Amino acid sequence: PPPPPPPKKNESAMKRAAIDMSTKIGGRVVTPALPVVDSSPPTQVELSFNKRLLTYSQNHIPLEATEGIRRRERVLDRMRSLCREWIRSVCIRLSLPRDVIDAAGGQLYTSGSYRLGVHEPGADIDTILVAPNVCTREDFFGSDYVPPDGLDSSYAEDPASAPRDPDSLAERIRNHPDVTNFVPVENATVPILTFDWEGVNIDLLFARLNSASVPPTLDIDNDDILSGVDSATEKSLNGPRVTNLIAALVSGTHERYQTFLTVVRCVRKWAKARGLYSNKMGYWGGVNINIAVALVLQLYPTACPASLLRKFFLVFKSWRWPNPVMLTKPHDANLGLPVWNAYHVSNARQVAPIITPAYPAMNSTLSVSRQTLQILHEEFCRGHDIVDRLWKEHVKGGGGGDDVAGEAFAELFEPSDFFIAYPYYLSLCIVGPTQADAQAWAGFVESRLRRLVSDMLGKSLPLSKIQLWPKKIEACIADRSALLTQAQRRNSITYFVGFQVDILRMRGNQLNIEQQINNFRDWDLSRFQPHVHEMDLCTKDFRLKELPKLVFEGMYEGGKLEAMKKRRRIIDSDPKVQERKRKAKLAAMKARLDAQIKKKKDAAIAKDAMEKKRKRDDEDEEAKAATQKKAKGEEGDSKAQENVDEAAGEPSEVADAAKVKVEDTVDEAALLESALDAIQADAGGEKKSREEAEADRRKLIAGEFLVEGGGGDDDDDDVAGEQSWPDGAGDNGDELESGAEKDTSDDAPSAQDSSVPERKVLTEVEREAEILRIAGYSVVSDDEAIIVGGNMIPSWRNPNVARSSRISTKVEEKSASGDDGEKKRTKRGLGNGGCVEIKFRTKFDVVELDENGFVIDKGDDDFQPSLAWTGRRGGFEFKLGERGLGYYRTGKKVIVPSNTAY
């Protein structure tokens, strides 16, 4: 019988098993650290979506032109020949045998974007010269050179100005006619030469192998090449070794490698546009992007570029930091070099490690901090939202649409909103005396700016977010008080830092940034050698609207004006802002509705009151008419007997006439009152009832409205004998007293007349302020007060003034003999010889000072503030001191006014 059919396997498991992502390089097999997530081929909809991305990439992410590629190859060939000639000259100078000189060799390797083929026009080339052990780093830079006529004593103080060996490679490159902008950096962890050769920027590293020759067949990917090398050589060789291993891991098929290159180009453009492309500033560099895209390709090996780009943002949006990103598990070649280990104590605090795949494995993102990771995560989320939305719109449209050129992807690569995203900014201007000094000084400061932003400012100040913009501005943006020379302003560059203040952690209203800048100068920048006096770092703080127009050029079409408009659009589109506006609008509508309801209720109440008054007036008129009728009837009784027949019909006629007259009078009064109401309503101002209008009329007739100051109220009259009005204050006291007196004329209504409303007087605060002014004190506002109490000697503290008496005002009611009981007021004052008793309503904590004048921290338990001053701040005491009521930091010396007792 035929054999049984094999068991059916899971389709996804078969696809994963069918793709082998391992590769052999440097004599060993390298296996991916993570398994394949999805290896299904792209669908037709994904391919049509990918076509749009490819069209956009060809139009907006151009590669180097053919002429540029040829120029780069020509420069590298000339550099390779120059390096081999230099190695040969070193061997000849050492008098080595001819066969050793011929076999010395020397190789020039490339790494980074140029090695992978994803470099943009104008990008630099990372090169590494691998030389035999007969060549030293001193031979490379030309240091330790002694000229034939000896060294001058001045070179001991300034080693950088000492002459260099003219046969060194550095001097040969410097003196080449096609080389410009030559800058040697010898004291760095990885020494480097930076220069432009025919307009192509070159970064040249030096690696010294532990062998007498470097043949053309040298396998730089073999781990044994690192045997016996120093730390600088190890780090220099790590560049091409990592690049080669990444290329090997993504080169299973031609389509896979092209997918990798396309996505790397897109991610590099996205990172540069969003201000995320700078490893030394704390963000991602070229090698970090290469490793990240290679990892996503290992997870989705058959995805097309558009799908892989969407997966890239999805993976790192969801990545569980600080779990490391690694292409292959680290291995140890037993050469004594440290290999990255997640369990090592020095690696436990790394924020977002991305591990290099080549031996020795190391973290390539040591510079990433918590603050920069926050920025990276926000940008990952934004990128995923944009690409995922474009993908869903494409799927909803059935794979068609009008956007054949893929212009919708332009939103992903829009410039960052850094200069409109923060309320406060800080400029860091790096200045130097000459161009050469400024370049060396700027490179040193740039490598340490991330420490200033993340470690010093980010950790010591109450900031919720801080971001360093990695792109330099070729201008001097510094405060005028810096007093820079013209040479310093010409040789300067500026970086910007944006930050947001955490209000919950903020104490006071000022940030002490200057202290952190001084610490940065003293602890970090002072290590630069040789340091020239004109080398400096100048800072200046800005609010958003105070930023110079220069920073907006090149980022926003239309400059600063268009940037501000975009900021307004972003704020208006914020869901939180929209929700606040919606709630405010609803609150305003509710307030208007409540006002209308209240107005209707008031109108109804006023109408009812008017109706009741009209009825009451009608009743009064009827009662009055009845009384008059009754009186007339009694007068006519004596004559009634004589003319009974003659006057029989007259009473009824008289009564009818009187009734008609009364009705006419009532109607006219009602019409008049209505007309007066209409006139008062048209006049505007405060609405008054008829009773209030009548009271005002009476007051006007009595002359009370002519009294300046408005008179005093009943409460003041009741406590007139207890109120202390200072005497001897001149005209001010007289005016105050006359304004507070009651009108005792016969025409004035009595205090018991309930029809006259209370008179308007000064408020309690105004009355007390007037008392203090009359007593000789300067009453000022908080903004005007500089030293409250310290600018004068009040009368009650003057030693020449008698303090036994007190200012008092007594009101005596005396009845003049033979008079009508008119009340008279007598004043008794002490002039300048009195004192004022001040009582504080607000109770506050008493501050105790030690013998040195410092505030003693009494702790938290004893502090019991009043209702007006709630809460306590740790390390602060509450006092009435130099600037009034407030909090004062304990342990600090305070100024207590000599004329105030506590």
Side-chain angles (χ1 to χ4, degrees), residues 35-51:
V36 175
V37 174
D38 186 9
S39 61
S40 58
T43 62
Q44 292 297 326
V45 179
E46 291 177 336
L47 292 177
S48 60
F49 186 61
N50 178 65
K51 186 176 180 180

Side-chain angles (χ1 to χ4, degrees), residues 11 107 254 333 383 387 440 451-452 469 501 565 574 620 725 742 760 774 786 807 835 850 875:
E11 183 178 358
Q107 297 296 325
H254 176 72
V387 180
R451 170 173 166 76
L452 169 65
W469 185 246
V501 178
K565 292 181 180 180
D574 188 359
D620 293 343
W725 293 97
K742 295 171 58 179
K760 184 178 180 181
I774 297 174
I786 299 177
I807 295 178
C835 64
D850 57 14

Side-chain angles (χ1 to χ4, degrees), residues 190-246:
V190 181
I192 186 175
L193 294 178
T194 301
F195 53 91
D196 294 339
W197 192 313
E198 295 186 13
V200 179
N201 184 256
I202 304 293
D203 292 339
L204 179 61
L205 304 178
F206 177 75
R208 178 174 178 263
L209 298 184
N210 189 21
S211 61
S213 63
V214 181
T217 59
L218 176 69
D219 187 6
I220 196 175
D221 299 317
N222 195 302
D223 297 336
D224 295 335
I225 197 174
L226 301 176
S227 177
V229 301
D230 56 11
S231 177
T233 298
E234 169 207 334
K235 292 180 174 57
S236 299
L237 292 174
N238 196 40
R241 285 167 53 83
V242 169
T243 304
N244 293 343
L245 187 53
I246 293 175

Side-chain angles (χ1 to χ4, degrees), residues 716 719-728 733 736-737 740-741 771 774 806-812 825-830:
D716 291 340
V719 297
E722 300 176 1
Q723 179 65 49
S724 296
W725 293 97
D727 215 14
L736 182 64
E737 193 68 20
E741 290 185 14
I771 294 174
I774 297 174
R806 307 170 63 87
I807 295 178
S808 63
T809 301
K810 294 184 177 180
V811 178
E812 300 178 357
R825 173 174 301 181
T826 62
K827 296 186 295 182
R828 180 169 59 88
L830 300 175

Side-chain angles (χ1 to χ4, degrees), residues 775-778 787 789-795 899:
Y777 294 97
S778 299
I787 301 179
N791 56 349
M792 59 175 291
I793 300 179
S795 59
N899 57 1

